[in-house]
C-alpha cells in the first residue's frame, strides 16, 4: 500500500548544529504537511506545501517540496533546545476509486539537542 | 476559533475493564474526526475516522470501537481492555476534506495493567 517514509528515525545534535529530516512518498502527493510533537505533547501543524519545488521558511526552519512531489525535507539551521521533539510529515493517501483519502503520516524523526 | 478537548488526560485501567474516551470540538461544524493511537516513541496509527454523525470507518480491526453521537463529539470505547491497548490516544479534527490540515487534541495517556 501507499507509504510515507521518513529518515532518520532519530537525530542527536549539539546545540547550534543544523538538522535535516527527509520524507519520501511511494506516490505523487497533492500536498505535504509537517507537524511537530514536543515531548509529552500532541502533534501541532507547522506548514503545508502544495506546489512542485516549493520552498517555505519559518524563521530557522526551511521546508522543501520536491519537483516530482514525492519527497520533502525540513531543515533547521542552528538548532536550539526548543527544537526538541518529533517531526512528522504527512501526505494525502489515495482510495482505490482514485479519490484522495486520509492523511498518511510518516513515522517521524525524533530530534534531541544537547545544550 | 476552534478548540478540541479530550478527557481524561491520564487513565490507568486493569486488563478486562471497559474504556470510554471522549473528544469534543468547538467552533466548527461538520468536521472530520479522527482517533489515533501512538505507542511509546512510535508513530501515529489511525484507528477510526468519521465524516459525519453516525458514520465511522475503521482502519485497524481490534477490540476498540468508535461512535459519533453528535456532530462535534467523538467517543472511543472498548468492552474489555488488553495490555496492548496501552498508549497515547489522540483525537483530531479537520475541515471537510480528508486531506485538510489536522488539529490534534491534548491526548489521553492510557496505561493498562
Amino acid at each position: 500500500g501507499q507509504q510515507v517514509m521518513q529518515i532518520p528515525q532519530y537525530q542527536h545534535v549539539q546545540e547550534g548544529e543544523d538538522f535535516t529530516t527527509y520524507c519520501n512518498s511511494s506516490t505523487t502527493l497533492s500536498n505535504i504537511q509537517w507537524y511537530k510533537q514536543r515531548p509529552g505533547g500532541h502533534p501541532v501543524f507547522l506548514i503545508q506545501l502544495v506546489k512542485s519545488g516549493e520552498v517555505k521558511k519559518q524563521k530557522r526552519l526551511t521546508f522543501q517540496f520536491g519537483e516530482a512531489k514525492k519527497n520533502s525535507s525540513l531543515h533547521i539551521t542552528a538548532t536550539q533546545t526548543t527544537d526538541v521533539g518529533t517531526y512528522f510529515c504527512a501526505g494525502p493517501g489515495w482510495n482505490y476509486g482514485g479519490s484522495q483519502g486520509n492523511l498518511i503520516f510518516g513515522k517521524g524523526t525524533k530530534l534531541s539537542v544537547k545544550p | 476559533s476552534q478548540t478540541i478537548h479530550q478527557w481524561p488526560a491520564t487513565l490507568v485501567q486493569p486488563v478486562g475493564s471497559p474504556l470510554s474516551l471522549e473528544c469534543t470540538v468547538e467552533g466548527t461544524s461538520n468536521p472530520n474526526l479522527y482517533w489515533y493511537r501512538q505507542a511509546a516513541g512510535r508513530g501515529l496509527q489511525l484507528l477510526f475516522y468519521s465524516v459525519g454523525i453516525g458514520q465511522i470507518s475503521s482502519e485497524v480491526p481490534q477490540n476498540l470501537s468508535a461512535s459519533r453521537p453528535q456532530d462535534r463529539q467523538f467517543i472511543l470505547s472498548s468492552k474489555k481492555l488488553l495490555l496492548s491497548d496501552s498508549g497515547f490516544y489522540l483525537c483530531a479534527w479537520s475541515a471537510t476534506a480528508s486531506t485538510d490540515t489536522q488539529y490534534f487534541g491534548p491526548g489521553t495517556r492510557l496505561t493498562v495493567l
Side-chain angles (χ1 to χ4, degrees):
Chain A
Q2 185 177 358
Q3 290 185 318
V4 174
M5 295 153 286
Q6 264 186 273
I7 55 169
Q9 188 175 358
Y10 301 97
Q11 186 77 57
H12 309 283
V13 300
Q14 190 77 34
E15 189 173 22
E17 291 181 341
D18 292 356
F19 159 77
T20 304
T21 174
Y22 301 90
C23 181
N24 291 285
S25 169
S26 57
T27 61
T28 302
L29 300 170
S30 60
N31 71 78
I32 189 90
Q33 300 175 27
W34 285 92
Y35 295 76
K36 176 184 178 181
Q37 183 177 22
R38 294 182 185 273
H42 57 278
V44 174
F45 171 75
L46 292 177
I47 207 163
Q48 177 177 276
L49 305 172
V50 178
K51 299 177 182 177
S52 170
E54 188 171 13
V55 178
K56 286 188 176 180
K57 292 191 175 185
Q58 288 180 350
K59 297 183 181 178
R60 294 178 294 103
L61 277 61
T62 301
F63 303 84
Q64 285 189 302
F65 200 9
E67 294 291 339
K69 300 183 77 173
K70 294 181 72 173
N71 61 284
S72 181
S73 65
L74 158 59
H75 179 82
I76 302 179
T77 303
T79 54
Q80 299 175 359
T81 54
T82 53
D83 296 324
V84 164
T86 301
Y87 293 85
F88 294 96
C89 63
W94 291 98
N95 295 320
Y96 286 114
S99 61
Q100 291 199 72
N102 292 317
L103 288 180
I104 298 177
F105 284 82
K107 294 191 183 301
T109 296
K110 187 173 182 178
L111 172 65
S112 61
V113 179
K114 186 176 181 181
Chain B
S1 64
Q2 300 87 5
T3 54
I4 178 168
H5 304 277
Q6 277 188 254
W7 63 90
T10 307
L11 192 58
V12 180
Q13 291 284 97
V15 169
S17 64
L19 173 74
S20 181
L21 302 180
E22 190 162 344
C23 171
T24 59
V25 181
E26 296 177 356
T28 186
S29 296
N30 197 30
N32 283 3
L33 296 172
Y34 310 85
W35 278 113
Y36 290 88
R37 178 169 60 201
Q38 187 176 37
R42 304 288 294 277
L44 301 167
Q45 180 187 31
L46 180 62
L47 301 175
F48 301 95
Y49 68 93
S50 171
V51 298
I53 296 175
Q55 301 179 63
I56 308 294
S57 296
S58 174
E59 289 292 302
V60 182
Q62 51 205 315
N63 70 320
L64 298 172
S65 62
S67 62
R68 185 171 177 174
Q70 300 181 44
D71 181 43
R72 289 168 287 180
Q73 184 184 30
F74 205 22
I75 298 172
L76 182 69
S77 304
S78 174
K79 292 182 179 178
K80 287 185 178 182
L81 284 169
L82 307 173
L83 286 173
S84 58
D85 291 324
S86 293
F88 190 38
Y89 287 83
L90 290 155
C91 180
W93 75 271
S94 70
T96 309
S98 59
T99 57
D100 284 342
T101 298
Q102 293 189 12
Y103 299 93
F104 288 82
T108 295
R109 203 163 299 278
L110 172 67
T111 303
V112 182
L113 301 175

